[in-house]
Every structure is written in structure tokens, then in C-alpha cells.
Amino acid sequence: MDYKYIEQLMERYWAGETSLEEEQILRAFFSQKDVPAGLQAYKDLFAYQRSEVEADTLGADFDARMAALVDEPAPVKARTVSLTQRLMPLFKAAAVVAMFLTLGNAAQVAFTGRGDEPSTAVYQRAHEGPSVAMGDSAKVDTVKQANAAPAIIK
């Protein structure tokens, strides 16, 4: 028997030029029991394609099985969300910002070296030396005036 037409279809099949009808002819040919020895190597390819097509089909009871899986006994009720639940992400973000600011201030004091001094609003250290108020006084102390040396004016 002459299998020239099948060989031509095979050449066109490998070139990607066959139509769906021609590929169906090739599948029908290779599904036979008597395939020539020269074309026997291609039989498994077309038999595999046919078995894959059969395996991918859905059964008649598919719709019923899916409906049974999806069927719920009671309707789903909507949840009510309170205002505090809605604002909880904002509260968390504000807490994170407050922590970063606190840590930043603590790190700034530690790195600048001014952390040893207490705040000036709480405590003022006494100054050593003469008081500013005494030097500003209009009255001169008599003891200091007596000890003062007269100024020489030339």
C-alpha cells in the first residue's frame, strides 16, 4: 500500500502547516493497529495526543459535584466594624512615630554630649564669682571704697 499522502501530511505537520482536519486524519491513521514500520516511531506521539484529549474532558457529573461543593447551608452575614477597629491602623502608626521621635531625641542627647547637664527650666546652677546684681548696684560698698586706691590722672 502507498502511504505517500500520509508522509506528505507528516512533512507538513512538522513544518506547522497542517489544518485541524489534516491532523485529525493523521490521528486516525496512527490509531490503527497496522502502521508501516517507517512510520511506527510516530504512532506513540499521536496516540499520546489522543489519550491526553480524552483525559482532559470533564465527566457528566462535574456540574453536580461543583454545585455540592459550593452549596452553603446559611447565607453569609456582613460583619459590623466599629470606629476603633477602623482607626486601629492609625493608632498603631501614631505609636510607631512616637517611639521613633522618643528614640531620636534620646540618641541626639547621647551623641551631642549635652546629656550630663540638667534642663535649664528645672534647675539653674549657681554661678561662681561676683554676682551680676552686685556689679550693677549704684551704691558702692564703703569697705570696698576704703580699700580702693585713688586713681592717678595725668
Side-chain angles (χ1 to χ4, degrees):
M1 186 170 207
D2 189 21
Y3 298 107
K4 189 172 253 186
Y5 178 66
I6 299 297
E7 290 174 359
Q8 289 175 354
L9 283 179
M10 286 298 296
E11 288 177 21
R12 290 184 54 210
Y13 178 78
W14 294 120
E17 300 172 351
T18 56
S19 65
L20 293 176
E21 292 81 21
E22 291 171 335
E23 290 179 16
Q24 187 64 31
I25 292 171
L26 287 172
R27 282 190 204 97
F29 175 76
F30 285 108
S31 64
Q32 299 174 7
K33 290 184 180 181
D34 297 330
V35 177
L39 299 174
Q40 188 70 30
Y42 305 118
K43 182 176 181 175
D44 293 334
L45 171 70
F46 289 99
Y48 173 76
Q49 286 180 348
R50 189 184 60 215
S51 68
E52 284 298 311
V53 170
E54 291 172 359
D56 287 341
T57 58
L58 299 175
D61 63 336
F62 177 77
D63 290 334
R65 287 186 292 146
M66 289 296 116
L69 289 175
V70 173
D71 189 26
E72 294 182 7
V76 178
K77 292 185 177 181
R79 270 189 336 170
T80 57
V81 180
S82 68
L83 183 63
T84 56
Q85 288 176 336
R86 284 187 185 183
L87 295 178
M88 189 59 68
L90 294 175
F91 294 151
K92 289 178 182 180
V96 169
V97 168
M99 286 181 4
F100 276 126
L101 290 176
T102 304
L103 291 175
N105 287 340
Q108 182 180 8
V109 168
F111 289 134
T112 58
R114 295 186 328 200
D116 297 339
E117 299 175 2
S119 174
T120 57
V122 176
Y123 171 76
Q124 291 183 352
R125 191 176 355 180
H127 296 285
E128 295 186 22
S131 173
V132 176
M134 288 179 69
D136 209 25
S137 174
K139 293 183 182 178
V140 179
D141 191 17
T142 56
V143 176
K144 285 186 179 179
Q145 191 177 18
N147 291 336
I152 305 174
I153 301 177
K154 291 185 182 181

